[in-house]
Amino acid sequence: MTSYNCPRCGNPSTAERCPVCGRGPEPLLERLGSLDTALAAMPASLLSRAAVEAERRDVLDGLAQTAARYHIEAEQRARAQAAAPLYAPTPAGTVAAPQAAPATPPGGAPQAPAPQALPSYPPPPHTPPAGAFQAPRERGEVGSKTVQTVLLTLGGLLVAAALIIFTAVAWRNMGMEGRTAVLGGVTLLLLTVPFALKRYRLWATAETFAALAALALWCTTLAGYYLYRPPSAEFGPEAVGAWTAGVLVILALYRAAARVTATGWAMLPLALIGASYAASGSIGTAVTLMLATAVVLGAAAWISAHRSSHYERSDLWSSRFLTCAAVVAACSAGLRAAFGLADPVVPPVAAAVALLAAANLIGVHYARRLGVSITTMLVAASASGSLVLCAWILANRSGSSELVVPSLALLVAGVLPLVLIQSRKDAWPLASAATAGLCALAAFAAVTFDAPDLSAYFVAFLTARLIAPLIAEPMGSALRRASYAVGGGTAVVAACAALRGLYLLSAYEPGWGINLEVPIVLVALAFAAIVLPRRFRVNAAALAVSLAIESAAILVWTQDPTRYDALPTIAFIVCSLIALTSALASGTVAGRCTGWSSLTLWVLVTALAAGSSQTMSPAEDSWIPFWLTVAAAAMLVIAAGAPRRTRPDRVLAAVLAHILAGISVVLGLFAGITFGSSGLELFPASQFGVYTLALIGVAIMAPVRTWGYAIAALCTGTVGWWLMLAALEVTTLEFFTAPPAAILFLIGLWRLERRPEAGSWSSLAPPILGGIGPSLLLALSEGDELRRVGVGAAAIAVIIAGLVRRWQAPLVLGSIVLAVMVVNELLLLRGHIPVWIPPAIGGAILITVGATFERRRRDLRRIREGLKSMR
């Protein structure tokens, strides 16, 4: 069992307990023991040993803090006990009780006094000995290591700036030999100093001088070449790249000999500068120098990993970045070689590079899924980024429009893993990479073999979807999603190309249009809908077939518009029937809603096509708005009585039917007003009549809101009746008011039979007022005897109906109308009555009322109570 110093008393103890102070289990000591056991079993060259040692240092710091806390608590207890009195004070005024004498046993020997309990005192304070952990010293806001790092960094930057300025500017003021000697001497000094500093264990200072030595070596090499180059040699980009590659070789050897990690970090910017200059040269030299740079960086990465310095973690990360830089340099060499290709070869190469980049992105995903090391992930990511950049540059240089889609797909596939790096859901990054690969494959076929674009993408979609079930997860699911993405994009592009034909039809431009590939691909997509999930098959196939028919009809129409004038309209009617079939046959709510929406659009397009056709729509004809209303009415009735209907699709279909009917009515009214003939003015009334019949049918079939459809049917029927009377030039008011009032009266009677508690005022008062009120206002004149007689007869009929069925509203309203008519008749006859008759009649009435006042009051009370008892 391993023993450690107790953080409380400083004596040797175990993790479970301390035998001296009685301390219980200490978790930090247990963790320290497990770490020591792990370190004893790990070899010294293992890269992960540094992490264990760092955790051990953290545990030691925690133990130091725990010991300091124990020390502070012990001091506080000691001070508290020093201030407390030894004996408790006796309260004033109390007398101590006398002690009893010791009892004497019968034997004569006195019994020993009973032992008296000693007063209990707190234990003496415990102070840890000098060997225990001490309290940590107070530190400043910035640690000494941070100060050292900042000083060395700033000093190194200043010296580096001085070297660069000396190399670039000071040549004008010194001789060639002197300047070369200064740079060479400084370089040799900087290369030698790290060896001496390491002997004195000044590791950070040695790293600073090693980084400066790398920069000084590069400056000295370029300056020496510039000074002593042959007369025919040029100091151009190729020379800079070549000498930089040589400097990198020397620095790699120096890194192996000196074992300083700063040299590996300094090689990264020097490699970037050298590769950039080398890329500006001829293709052969550029590719050779860039590949050489990649090889040197790879060797330096191996040296950094196997010849560790004092800073092992820095060596680890410098090895990783050097490996990534080597991969990027190699990919850049390939890109530079691609720039030297002839222009006709660039598009296929760009498509192939895009395909390779997509495959590398898939490899990065699998590497992450397998949990490889960070080095492997960085290398794979560097290669992927380089290939994506190469694909973008080559696609831009090729100028081929076929490479736009693969480039955008690669961009999404490269950015999506970075966006979802914290998410555990990695299905979408893999699917996006597979999508980029399918797009690159289709683009390769298009630019290499001149294959049609839509056909190439369709073949890629179908092939991927068919082989996806044969591939193991997760690649199978990713390939299936990628196939859906490619197939959906192909369908969208084909649909846009097909719908462009509608513009050709409306603008009457048969000279340019769509090609035969569009309907062929759409038909193929319709057959390929069988590979989609079951809930999407009907709608996808219906939409594809509809667009195929539409595009084929437009394609044929563009050949001879005069001969095939009616073909687009017929094709659109067929598309409408297909949309209706999808709305009824789809097994999902979303599919049915999509079917009703597409049906509405196809009906409108059919109306527009018929309006543009001389065969289907002769001049000054208003049949198109009428049949549009018929279509809306049929759509409303079918939606209400269709099987498998649900509330969302039923409501959507009703709303779309109302919108379609409104559009058709507006068009019908516009046509009637524009052409102005009596025959055309009957079409709006017919439209309202047809839609009224549809609303009545829906009111009968609808499970809910029946009264809403009934009221809507009454309103549209009334408007249609009025429009028909207006078109027939009927001016008699009763023809306008009597039929709606009669229908409302019948509805009120039906309601009273079913719900007597509703009352006659809400059921019969509106039709009575609507039917008699306007005629009563017109009857209050002298020259309209027939209307006055009719209003009076209607009032008497209403009163009789109220008396027979004991309805309050007909009795009261009919009585009011009859009283108004009587008063009106008296006023009309006021010129024919003698002057003495009114006073005589008034006097007789007053005498009669005065004589029988009591009986009249009883009769009035009875009449009032009778009225109140009515409904």
Side-chain angles (χ1 to χ4, degrees):
M1 182 180 296
T2 306
S3 62
Y4 300 94
N5 288 339
C6 177
R8 182 175 182 180
C9 64
N11 295 309
S13 67
T14 61
E16 289 77 13
R17 65 181 299 274
C18 178
V20 179
C21 65
R23 174 192 52 78
E26 178 57 50
L28 290 176
L29 289 178
E30 295 178 359
R31 183 57 182 163
L32 184 62
S34 62
L35 291 175
D36 288 340
T37 304
L39 287 174
M42 296 172 67
S45 60
L46 194 61
L47 296 179
S48 59
R49 182 184 179 90
V52 181
E53 292 178 348
E55 186 176 357
R56 187 177 186 276
R57 288 193 293 270
D58 294 338
V59 172
L60 290 175
D61 292 340
L63 286 171
Q65 294 176 4
T66 303
R69 186 174 68 252
Y70 282 134
H71 181 71
I72 293 172
E73 292 176 356
E75 290 182 350
Q76 291 176 354
R77 286 197 302 268
R79 287 194 297 267
Q81 292 172 2
L86 295 178
Y87 298 96
T90 303
T94 60
V95 179
Q99 298 291 332
T104 302
Q111 185 179 3
Q116 197 168 7
L118 297 176
S120 60
Y121 301 103
H126 175 76
T127 303
F133 295 100
Q134 300 296 326
R137 299 178 181 178
E138 295 183 359
R139 298 181 179 179
E141 295 182 356
V142 180
S144 59
K145 187 175 181 181
T146 304
V147 174
Q148 169 191 319
T149 304
V150 172
L151 291 176
L152 291 177
T153 303
L154 293 178
L157 289 177
L158 292 176
V159 175
L163 287 173
I164 296 174
I165 294 172
F166 179 81
T167 305
V169 178
W171 294 93
R172 303 174 184 175
N173 304 321
M174 299 179 63
M176 292 185 179
E177 291 77 7
R179 292 175 291 196
T180 306
V182 171
L183 276 177
V186 171
T187 302
L188 291 176
L189 178 63
L190 292 175
L191 290 172
T192 308
V193 166
F195 292 95
L197 293 176
K198 288 178 64 178
R199 295 187 61 183
Y200 293 98
R201 306 180 67 85
L202 299 175
W203 310 107
T205 309
E207 298 289 347
T208 304
F209 278 94
L212 294 174
L215 177 62
L217 180 62
W218 183 66
C219 294
T220 302
T221 303
L222 293 182
Y225 173 76
Y226 180 78
L227 183 61
Y228 297 108
R229 72 183 189 275
S232 60
E234 295 182 357
F235 188 72
E238 295 181 354
V240 175
W243 284 102
T244 302
V247 170
L248 292 177
V249 174
I250 297 174
L251 290 178
L253 297 176
Y254 180 77
R255 169 65 182 82
R259 290 194 176 189
V260 283
T261 186
T263 305
W265 290 105
M267 292 177 67
L268 294 173
L270 294 180
L272 176 61
I273 296 173
S276 301
Y277 275 100
S280 302
S282 61
I283 181 173
T285 305
V287 172
T288 303
L289 291 177
M290 295 174 77
L291 289 178
T293 302
V295 173
V296 173
L297 291 176
W302 186 89
I303 292 172
S304 298
H306 293 81
R307 301 279 292 177
S308 60
S309 65
H310 179 71
Y311 302 99
E312 295 182 355
R313 290 187 61 82
S314 180
D315 291 335
L316 176 62
W317 283 102
S318 66
S319 174
R320 291 170 177 173
F321 280 101
L322 284 170
T323 306
C324 295
V327 174
V328 172
C331 294
S332 301
L335 178 63
R336 181 63 183 88
F339 270 106
L341 299 174
D343 291 340
V345 188
V346 174
V349 173
V353 172
L355 183 60
L356 183 61
N360 209 340
L361 288 173
I362 295 175
V364 170
H365 170 80
Y366 270 96
R368 180 185 177 187
R369 186 179 181 86
L370 294 175
V372 298
S373 62
I374 299 178
T375 304
T376 306
M377 283 298 301
L378 288 175
V379 171
S382 302
S384 300
S386 302
L387 289 174
V388 170
L389 181 62
C390 293
W392 267 74
I393 296 176
L394 290 174
N396 185 32
R397 186 194 167 199
S398 67
S400 178
S401 59
E402 289 83 356
L403 297 175
V404 174
V405 175
S407 300
L408 294 177
L410 282 177
L411 177 62
V412 174
V415 172
L416 196 60
L418 299 178
V419 175
L420 302 177
I421 191 170
Q422 298 296 334
S423 177
R424 294 184 179 180
K425 296 181 180 180
D426 52 359
W428 287 110
L430 182 58
S432 63
T435 304
L438 292 179
C439 293
L441 186 63
F444 182 80
V447 299
T448 305
F449 305 105
D450 199 19
D453 296 343
L454 291 176
S455 301
Y457 279 95
F458 172 76
V459 171
F461 147 69
L462 188 60
T463 304
R465 181 60 185 86
L466 292 177
I467 67 175
L470 306 177
I471 300 177
E473 297 296 336
M475 192 59 201
S477 299
L479 194 61
R480 184 174 64 254
R481 294 189 181 95
S483 66
Y484 289 154
V486 174
T490 305
V492 169
V493 174
C496 293
L499 293 176
R500 191 183 66 172
L502 299 179
Y503 170 76
L504 304 178
L505 181 65
S506 61
Y508 201 81
E509 295 183 3
W512 62 281
I514 55 181
N515 52 25
L516 187 59
E517 182 190 10
V518 174
I520 293 176
V521 171
L522 288 171
V523 171
L525 285 171
F527 283 104
I530 194 174
V531 301
L532 297 178
R534 186 180 300 274
R535 60 183 181 275
F536 300 127
R537 293 176 184 175
V538 174
N539 291 98
L543 184 60
V545 171
S546 300
L547 292 175
I549 294 174
E550 178 266 336
S551 58
I554 297 298
L555 185 62
V556 174
W557 174 80
T558 54
Q559 306 300 323
D560 191 354
T562 304
R563 180 180 179 183
Y564 302 107
D565 180 66
L567 182 60
T569 305
I570 298 174
F572 296 155
I573 293 175
V574 175
C575 293
S576 302
L577 296 176
I578 294 174
L580 178 61
T581 303
S582 68
L584 298 177
S586 179
T588 61
V589 177
R592 292 192 291 271
C593 292
T594 304
W596 289 118
S597 301
S598 59
L599 173 61
T600 305
L601 295 177
W602 283 123
V603 169
L604 288 174
V605 170
T606 304
L608 294 176
S612 303
S613 173
Q614 294 295 326
T615 303
M616 305 297 293
S617 175
E620 298 185 359
D621 195 351
S622 188
W623 281 96
I624 295 175
F626 174 76
W627 286 112
L628 196 60
T629 307
V630 172
M635 180 177 172
L636 182 63
V637 173
I638 293 173
R644 293 193 300 181
R645 65 184 187 275
T646 56
R647 181 177 177 80
D649 56 284
R650 180 171 51 81
V651 171
L652 177 63
V655 171
L656 293 176
H658 297 336
I659 294 174
L660 193 61
I663 294 174
S664 64
V665 168
V666 171
L667 294 177
L669 293 174
F670 178 78
I673 295 173
T674 302
F675 301 126
S677 61
S678 59
L680 294 179
E681 290 175 356
L682 289 174
F683 276 105
S686 303
Q687 291 176 269
F688 276 97
V690 169
Y691 207 70
T692 300
L693 295 177
L695 290 173
I696 294 173
V698 173
I700 296 173
M701 293 184 295
V704 294
R705 299 180 185 245
T706 303
W707 278 106
Y709 286 108
I711 293 173
L714 181 62
C715 294
T716 55
T718 302
V719 174
W721 176 255
W722 289 349
L723 289 175
M724 186 186 69
L725 294 178
L728 297 176
E729 298 182 356
V730 176
T731 58
T732 304
L733 179 64
E734 283 71 19
F735 286 101
F736 290 89
T737 59
I743 295 175
L744 279 177
F745 194 81
L746 293 177
I747 294 175
L749 292 177
W750 176 75
R751 186 186 182 200
L752 282 176
E753 291 294 332
R754 296 191 59 183
R755 297 178 57 188
E757 68 277 4
S760 60
W761 285 101
S762 61
S763 302
L764 301 179
I768 293 173
L769 291 176
I772 301 179
S775 300
L776 177 63
L777 295 177
L778 294 180
L780 299 178
S781 61
E782 185 176 359
D784 202 352
E785 293 83 2
L786 183 60
R787 180 172 280 119
R788 295 203 304 271
V789 173
V791 171
I796 293 173
V798 168
I799 291 173
I800 293 174
L803 290 174
V804 172
R805 299 300 300 271
R806 298 184 60 82
W807 288 328
Q808 189 180 81
L811 180 61
V812 173
L813 294 178
S815 301
I816 293 174
V817 171
L818 189 59
V820 171
M821 291 303 301
V822 170
V823 172
N824 180 65
E825 293 297 328
L826 292 176
L827 292 176
L828 292 176
L829 296 175
R830 64 182 180 273
H832 303 282
I833 299 175
V835 179
W836 58 269
I837 292 180
I841 294 176
I845 292 174
L846 291 176
I847 294 171
T848 304
V849 172
T852 59
F853 182 72
E854 183 178 0
R855 187 170 58 84
R856 296 302 180 187
R857 287 184 60 191
R858 186 176 62 253
D859 294 341
L860 289 174
R861 189 185 309 111
R862 187 183 301 110
I863 293 174
R864 184 169 61 250
E865 291 176 354
L867 287 174
K868 288 182 179 181
S869 64
M870 295 182 178
R871 288 176 289 173

